[in-house]
Amino acid sequence: MFSTEMSLFLSYILVISTFGQASYDHYRLPQTLQPQHYNLRILTHLEDEDRLSFSGEVEIELRVLQPTSNITLHAGSRLQMTSNRTNLYYMDENGNKKKIGVRAVERNSKYDYYILVLGKVLEPRQNYALYIQFFASFGGGMSGYYASSYKDQNSNKTRYLSVTQFEPAYARTAFPCFDEPAFKATFNITLGHPTKYVALSNMPISKKIPMSGRKNWLWTIFEQTLPMSSYLVCYSVNDFAGLTSRNDFSVEFTTWARASAIAQCKYAAEIGPRLLDHYERMFEIDYPLPKVDQLAVPDFSAGAMENWGLITYREAALFYAPEASSEVDKQRVANIIAHELAHQWFGNLVTMKWWNDLWLNEGFATYVATLGMQKLCSKWHAYAEESLENMMIVLNSDAYYSTRAVSQTVSRASQFAEQFDPITYRKGAVIIRMMHMFIGDTTFRNGLNCYLKRHAYSNADQSDLWRSLSDAAHKFGSFPKYLDVQTVMDTWTLQAGYPLITVHRDYSRNTISINQRRFLMHGLDKTMEKDNFFSKECWFVPISYASRSMANFTATEPRVWLQCDSQGKDIPLEVQSPLGAKEDQWLILNVQLTAPFRVNYDTINWKLIIKTLQGGDFRRIHTMNRAQLIDDALALSWNGYLCYKLTLDLLRYIKQEHAYMPWRAALDHLAAIYRIMKQSPDFAVFQPQHFMNDLLSPIYDYLGGMETEANGRCRHHHIAHKTLINQWACRLALYDCVECAVQYYHRWFISNDPDLANPVPQNLRSVVYCAALRQGDESDWNFLWQRYSNATVASERRLILQALGCTQIEFVIRRYLKIIFDENSSIRKQDISLAFGAIARSDIGFPLAKDYFMNNFSLLTKSFESNYRELAALLLQITRHISSPHDYGALKMFIDCHKKLQKLATRTVRHAVELAQVNLHWRQKQQAQFTRCLKDHY
Ligand code: BES
Ligand code: ZN
């Protein structure tokens, strides 16, 4: 034995030096082999909590594309291979196998490669079968094949389950595979487990057979999958209960959760099949699998994961308890299901070729979900509100130097994870919506249908999408001849940022001139621009507009295009007599915000707009555009493009505004200012009797303050609005907000069984808990902590975690920070950032959270198992609030001392620093002007 191993070892050395295997130092697998089919068998051990582990074997059928003398595939470093059990076979046409020698095996930890060095060259068009045995223990993370647990309420015992999370690159940590999205193959999956568990996977069960040699164990064998990417493979062993949806459709739909929570799955089980049916009609392509399972996983790092046929969710994303959850929670459940089901087409049927085009998955799922929600639950106005929300988040986050293009080159696996950000999701969705608007609905649907059919069971990149849409556009003649989809869209996907459009009207000639340049939060700061020289940035911008006399805000199609020349430089545009707007009539660009850009007008036009906003007929301007005007004006003033005097004039109209989105825009910007002003002696002007009191008073009354009865406005579309306004009123201690909150809380505090009956109105709970703790004492905090420990509704638990961060008692905050990061804490890892963010947001909490993070970083690194991406996300929660040179200095020093964080979460760290810089900059350059204007006004 020893000598064979020794000789193997020697030949291994020999191979390395002769063929230089170690020099295969590339982040992509070689294109010499194509996996066709996997036979995967996994045995899962959940019986002994100290030895949670799995073992398995995989047989991969390979087709040779180019001659090769080695086989390179992925296997994560924690996966151990059973020595001498890796074998390669030649397979002839009749399926007969002949063994082929493997000279040596090598592992490359940088790229997770498992390399077999062969004694012969594999010939093209031949088939081989690679057989590998492996085992691993379940680690503590939430990726790959991992174990989760929950407390069974009847027995009070901890129960274990196992589940996979493979996206973006964790399939390799569960079994050896070709773990890139373009290597699609079919899978036969078999799971071995004790009889008392259920086994689930992408496909329906084909049969169950008792395991020989193991009493009370069985093999669950699943049907073969369709060709699919490895990151979409999923399996789970659990003791959950299943809820089968009432079945009007051909697809069997089941929702799974721990038995005591299955009642909370009713809504998910009802809305799921309806959404699926809607997509089948919309895409005109049937869902190709016989079933969908939805699985609620107690420990889950993302919100949900679209594995083909077995969609996994975190509990809070799937559960809805009518008696405890809010209407906003319900909408969130519908939205996340709509998103994951949309992936069954965009992502699963057609997959991006490589991670740089992740937006083809996530942007589409996000956009298509808003269409699905609108169709099924129109009362939520999801299409308009989510579109606007996405737009505003894009406009406010894509204006930093640290942003990136939608389509971004990525190589190392740590970079894949960084792609799951608002640029991919929200900017992706925003530019798809823009396209939808400029090519029209018929062309859009036709183009997508063609794209999905052309690339079904295969992969695509963005050029493939442009091609399908262009074809449709030509067919329907819905796009100007002098443009093509790719030329336009490349300027939006390959370039970072977005333009600021400047409009100058010549009132005597009745013309407008339109220019573009990139918009940045640093604004007119020349020193920043020198380092980041963007001379050539130019976008093809669809320009729609409305005027006072032609206030048609449904005409979203472009009237003109702002274009770029062949060098990529912008071409200024002059438009004659737009819509016959007379000199005393306003003009507004970008009807319903169809494209992501900001607009600055000449002062006269701004004043015309303000006059209408302040008059009685401000509703002639579309709600979305009212939100746009506020958002643009505040953003332009933030960086010096527009004086605060004008912006504050405009903002004052909001006292008559009843719609949610304009308020949301205003308060998001004011929150950023509030965070800085709070730390300044000028804060008094912001304070109650003055500015905010005046702005908020009418809307607080209109929405009925903290009332929820008949006179309090509770219709669905008021709920988010009411929460927002009350949050501010209580935070600034205005009106009777705090008093009401304290009363509600007190009623709960003294009730006999607070875990059974909660008198606080469901839709106001976040505000009430936070306000009560903000001014409450330790016993109030302890009471809520107790409720957290006893709560069974996931959304309620998350809500409480956030509220616990609202306390302003220093030693209680310190204690809470300790609890959050404690190894044995009852707070799951997935919820840490939520609780931490809540502390960082509060006035007293911010410095404590900051110090805690910086002083205990090595401890945090441990508790996050070196997941630097999550750590960087915590850092981001802090830096949002940094605006003093002192705190900024501390931040820089901290980052300089933590090179690993910098290296593994580069973009997030850069963004974090820039957020603080931008605050600092505002404080130095704009705060005085802002304060002066406020003083003049109030
Ligand atoms: N594909 C993602 C899940 C994911 C996220 C995998 C990050 C790996 C890394 C899934 O479709 C998704 O986008 N989930 C969202 C929810 C959605 C409603 C925006 C999430 O998890 O936040
Ligand atoms: Zn997604």
Side-chain angles (χ1 to χ4, degrees):
M1 187 66 189
F2 176 72
S3 68
T4 9
E5 268 178 12
M6 195 60 192
S7 69
L8 238 168
F9 180 64
L10 284 177
S11 63
Y12 170 72
I13 302 280
L14 192 72
V15 165
I16 290 178
S17 53
T18 328
F19 297 101
Q21 272 313 303
S23 69
Y24 188 75
D25 189 29
H26 186 57
Y27 62 93
R28 295 294 298 267
L29 291 176
Q31 299 293 314
T32 48
L33 297 165
Q34 170 75 43
Q36 308 276 59
H37 178 73
Y38 291 75
N39 287 316
L40 178 65
R41 223 183 218 282
I42 307 277
L43 197 62
T44 302
H45 296 279
L46 299 171
E47 319 82 79
D48 178 354
E49 66 179 336
D50 296 323
R51 290 177 49 206
L52 301 171
S53 64
F54 63 93
S55 59
E57 51 191 38
V58 64
E59 186 185 37
I60 312 175
E61 294 171 19
L62 300 167
R63 186 155 181 78
V64 181
L65 303 177
Q66 289 164 33
T68 177
S69 60
N70 52 60
I71 297 178
T72 304
L73 68 162
H74 288 109
S77 56
R78 292 181 48 150
L79 205 56
Q80 307 204 44
M81 312 304 164
T82 317
S83 56
N84 293 339
R85 288 303 188 109
T86 296
N87 287 310
L88 182 68
Y89 302 91
Y90 168 74
M91 293 206 306
D92 69 17
E93 304 86 64
N94 305 322
N96 299 322
K97 290 181 179 175
K98 202 176 108 202
K99 196 163 172 179
I100 292 183
V102 175
R103 275 240 206 126
V105 172
E106 190 191 339
R107 298 189 76 159
N108 168 334
S109 61
K110 184 169 167 198
Y111 296 119
D112 294 327
Y113 288 153
Y114 184 65
I115 305 171
L116 310 183
V117 182
L118 312 174
K120 63 170 275 186
V121 174
L122 306 183
E123 295 300 335
R125 290 179 300 281
Q126 307 287 348
N127 293 321
Y128 295 86
L130 172 63
Y131 177 87
I132 308 174
Q133 265 192 13
F134 54 90
F135 60 95
S137 59
F138 284 119
M142 291 179 275
S143 61
Y145 190 34
Y146 69 95
S148 171
S149 65
Y150 68 94
K151 255 235 161 73
D152 177 41
Q153 278 165 357
N154 296 328
S155 64
N156 213 22
K157 281 209 177 101
T158 302
R159 306 252 182 234
Y160 289 89
L161 62 130
S162 63
V163 68
T164 59
Q165 168 60 45
F166 287 168
E167 195 181 17
Y170 298 111
R172 63 188 67 173
T173 67
F175 64 96
C177 57
F178 291 75
D179 198 11
E180 290 184 3
F183 284 118
K184 290 200 176 185
T186 51
F187 290 78
N188 270 339
I189 295 173
T190 301
L191 298 176
H193 55 89
T195 324
K196 64 179 180 193
Y197 288 100
V198 181
L200 298 172
S201 185
N202 305 82
M203 295 299 285
I205 294 172
S206 84
K207 58 178 180 261
K208 297 182 194 175
I209 50 176
M211 203 178 287
S212 61
R214 272 182 197 267
K215 217 176 136 214
N216 295 329
W217 279 64
L218 57 83
W219 291 110
T220 301
I221 304 170
F222 298 92
E223 288 173 20
Q224 180 169 324
T225 71
L226 296 166
M228 63 187 286
S229 306
S230 51
Y231 79 88
L232 291 166
V233 169
C234 182
Y235 38 88
S236 167
V237 173
N238 60 64
D239 59 359
F240 284 176
L243 177 64
T244 305
S245 301
R246 217 170 39 85
N247 201 352
D248 303 336
F249 315 110
S250 56
V251 178
E252 177 94 358
F253 216 105
T254 317
T255 307
W256 302 85
R258 56 197 161 82
S260 62
I262 194 74
Q264 295 180 48
C265 295
K266 253 198 176 137
Y267 179 63
E270 179 208 314
I271 191 87
R274 291 177 54 213
L275 281 161
L276 194 77
D277 178 61
H278 164 72
Y279 289 142
E280 288 189 328
R281 286 169 212 260
M282 177 176 170
F283 304 136
E284 293 178 30
I285 298 175
D286 284 349
Y287 173 75
L289 309 184
K291 63 96 174 169
V292 178
D293 285 312
Q294 314 188 99
L295 180 69
V297 184
D299 299 276
F300 196 79
S301 78
M305 175 65 211
E306 71 268 22
N307 315 298
W308 216 355
L310 175 50
I311 308 177
T312 47
Y313 294 85
R314 79 164 53 190
E315 292 188 341
L318 198 66
F319 291 172
Y320 171 70
E323 72 292 348
S325 313
S326 72
E327 187 76 9
V328 174
D329 293 327
K330 187 174 185 180
Q331 194 171 340
R332 203 170 292 141
V333 171
N335 182 53
I336 200 157
I337 295 177
H339 177 105
E340 305 311 331
L341 288 175
H343 273 312
Q344 308 301 306
W345 286 262
F346 287 97
N348 301 7
L349 185 63
V350 177
T351 312
M352 72 264 146
K353 283 193 179 135
W354 181 243
W355 299 103
N356 62 327
D357 275 328
L358 179 65
W359 76 276
L360 291 176
N361 272 14
E362 299 301 348
F364 266 105
T366 304
Y367 182 63
V368 163
T370 64
L371 293 172
M373 299 257 295
Q374 184 62 34
K375 187 81 188 175
L376 262 67
C377 326
S378 56
K379 67 166 186 187
W380 286 336
H381 306 289
Y383 182 69
E385 285 199 3
E386 307 260 340
S387 300
L388 191 56
E389 162 125 353
N390 288 337
M391 180 64 85
M392 295 208 163
I393 290 177
V394 168
L395 294 178
N396 287 310
S397 64
D398 195 24
Y400 292 85
Y401 290 110
S402 52
T403 186
R404 64 174 180 87
V406 168
S407 178
Q408 159 94 7
T409 316
V410 282
S411 49
R412 297 190 61 149
S414 68
Q415 293 175 328
F416 306 165
E418 277 203 300
Q419 293 281 94
F420 292 83
D421 69 357
I423 296 296
T424 293
Y425 281 76
R426 312 229 190 217
K427 194 172 182 189
V430 158
I431 61 173
I432 292 165
R433 175 169 171 266
M434 170 176 80
M435 213 160 42
H436 191 171
M437 302 284 198
F438 74 65
I439 61 176
D441 193 49
T442 312
T443 306
F444 185 71
R445 282 169 192 258
N446 192 280
L448 290 189
N449 175 269
C450 154
Y451 167 79
L452 289 170
K453 283 199 174 129
R454 260 188 211 167
H455 305 285
Y457 307 108
S458 179
N459 298 75
D461 57 23
Q462 61 173 25
S463 310
D464 294 320
L465 176 68
W466 311 147
R467 213 165 296 126
S468 294
L469 289 168
S470 275
D471 291 352
H474 287 138
K475 190 160 119 198
F476 293 97
S478 56
F479 198 53
K481 288 232 161 39
Y482 58 88
L483 291 175
D484 70 89
V485 176
Q486 167 141 17
T487 313
V488 170
M489 292 307 291
D490 277 354
T491 66
W492 294 99
T493 56
L494 302 179
Q495 269 183 132
Y498 63 84
L500 164 65
I501 305 290
T502 312
V503 177
H504 275 288
R505 294 179 62 181
D506 182 330
Y507 293 86
S508 58
R509 287 170 56 224
N510 198 10
T511 58
I512 54 172
S513 65
I514 306 177
N515 282 293
Q516 62 165 301
R517 62 173 296 179
R518 183 167 174 191
F519 180 83
L520 285 158
M521 287 306 270
H522 295 270
L524 303 171
D525 184 357
K526 289 280 178 275
T527 52
M528 289 297 291
E529 271 182 36
K530 247 188 257 136
D531 305 337
N532 300 272
F533 191 60
F534 304 107
S535 63
K536 266 193 169 174
E537 286 162 326
C538 177
W539 289 263
F540 276 83
V541 189
I543 307 270
S544 56
Y545 40 79
S547 73
R548 167 115 199 247
S549 55
M550 294 190 56
N552 177 4
F553 280 90
T554 55
T556 52
E557 63 281 359
R559 292 181 187 272
V560 286
W561 281 86
L562 200 50
Q563 298 183 54
C564 317
D565 66 16
S566 53
Q567 261 85 52
K569 263 191 75 59
D570 62 296
I571 309 174
L573 184 72
E574 191 171 272
V575 180
Q576 298 290 330
S577 170
L579 299 178
K582 302 225 176 60
E583 61 187 32
D584 60 346
Q585 299 184 341
W586 51 256
L587 184 79
I588 291 174
L589 260 68
N590 207 8
V591 173
Q592 291 194 43
L593 278 100
T594 48
F597 58 85
R598 293 197 187 281
V599 197
N600 197 1
Y601 302 97
D602 55 72
T603 311
I604 301 176
N605 195 55
W606 273 119
K607 288 195 169 151
L608 292 170
I609 291 171
I610 293 174
K611 202 166 136 209
T612 294
L613 285 177
Q614 286 175 345
D617 60 349
F618 70 93
R619 287 194 184 83
R620 290 177 62 122
I621 299 174
H622 194 279
T623 319
M624 283 178 132
N625 288 92
R626 303 205 297 273
Q628 169 206 32
L629 290 165
I630 289 185
D631 197 62
D632 280 354
L634 278 161
L636 290 167
S637 288
W638 173 277
N639 64 20
Y641 281 113
L642 197 65
C643 71
Y644 267 113
K645 181 169 176 338
L646 201 131
T647 296
L648 289 172
D649 259 353
L650 185 147
L651 189 62
R652 250 190 319 201
Y653 103 90
I654 209 166
K655 287 194 266 177
Q656 9 172 21
E657 181 63 84
H658 289 168
Y660 170 60
M661 286 318 285
W663 272 105
R664 176 69 196 279
L667 292 175
D668 280 0
H669 280 278
L670 290 173
I673 294 177
Y674 174 90
R675 289 196 286 265
I676 301 173
M677 295 284 287
K678 186 79 205 187
Q679 300 172 35
S680 124
D682 285 333
F683 186 61
V685 290
F686 210 85
Q687 265 300 35
Q689 308 71 324
H690 303 88
F691 177 50
M692 291 307 281
N693 182 41
D694 182 51
L695 278 193
L696 291 168
S697 171
I699 190 71
Y700 184 79
D701 288 342
Y702 173 78
L703 294 171
M706 284 290 233
E707 287 294 315
T708 56
E709 305 308 322
N711 59 339
R713 289 181 194 262
C714 282
R715 291 223 305 282
H716 176 267
H717 65 276
H718 289 303
I719 289 170
H721 198 181
K722 202 172 158 96
T723 309
L724 179 72
I725 299 299
N726 278 302
Q727 258 164 10
W728 275 86
C730 275
R731 183 204 245 174
L732 300 172
L734 295 176
Y735 330 119
D736 58 356
C737 191
V738 175
E739 197 186 317
C740 291
V742 169
Q743 268 172 22
Y744 278 130
Y745 192 78
H746 186 67
R747 251 188 269 159
W748 192 27
F749 191 91
I750 56 170
S751 68
N752 288 334
D753 193 344
D755 294 319
L756 265 189
N758 182 345
V760 186
Q762 279 154 246
N763 292 318
L764 287 177
R765 285 182 187 170
S766 62
V767 183
V768 168
Y769 299 172
C770 185
L773 284 209
R774 200 184 285 120
Q775 65 93 59
D777 58 20
E778 193 192 351
S779 69
D780 290 313
W781 195 93
N782 290 343
F783 172 78
L784 200 59
W785 175 250
Q786 200 53 49
R787 303 287 74 72
Y788 174 76
S789 311
N790 299 349
T792 54
V793 175
S795 59
E796 177 82 0
R797 282 170 71 88
R798 284 171 65 80
L799 210 130
I800 296 179
L801 271 191
Q802 285 176 282
L804 288 167
C806 294
T807 176
Q808 296 297 287
I809 310 167
E810 202 173 311
F811 81 91
V812 180
I813 298 179
R814 285 186 199 282
R815 192 172 69 198
Y816 190 32
L817 278 166
K818 270 224 183 77
I819 298 177
I820 293 174
F821 292 102
D822 181 8
E823 265 297 296
N824 305 314
S825 132
S826 59
I827 299 176
R828 291 185 194 267
K829 281 204 178 69
Q830 64 192 24
D831 295 326
I832 287 181
S833 122
L834 197 73
F836 184 78
I839 297 178
R841 239 189 334 267
S842 93
D843 299 337
I844 309 258
F846 164 64
L848 298 176
K850 173 175 63 72
D851 291 347
Y852 188 89
F853 183 86
M854 294 188 179
N855 299 338
N856 297 287
F857 190 70
S858 53
L859 189 132
L860 300 197
T861 313
K862 249 215 231 119
S863 99
F864 275 94
E865 312 213 349
S866 299
N867 184 336
Y868 283 89
R869 200 175 144 251
E870 306 239 346
L871 287 163
L874 293 187
L875 183 68
L876 212 55
Q877 309 250 37
I878 300 172
T879 58
R880 232 173 262 296
H881 302 267
I882 287 182
S883 62
S884 75
H886 174 265
D887 288 344
Y888 180 68
L891 171 71
K892 288 286 277 184
M893 207 147 87
F894 173 80
I895 289 170
D896 283 345
C897 294
H898 294 88
K899 294 275 185 282
K900 207 157 175 195
L901 180 70
Q902 249 185 82
K903 186 161 170 234
L904 293 174
T906 319
R907 184 174 311 284
T908 318
V909 170
R910 267 173 49 202
H911 185 51
V913 174
E914 209 183 341
L915 281 179
Q917 270 173 359
V918 161
N919 284 345
L920 221 68
H921 190 253
W922 187 87
R923 196 171 122 139
Q924 284 160 1
K925 296 266 156 74
Q926 311 295 348
Q927 185 178 333
Q929 195 212 132
F930 176 80
T931 312
R932 207 171 334 109
C933 291
L934 270 195
K935 276 186 182 146
D936 290 349
H937 274 300
Y938 294 92

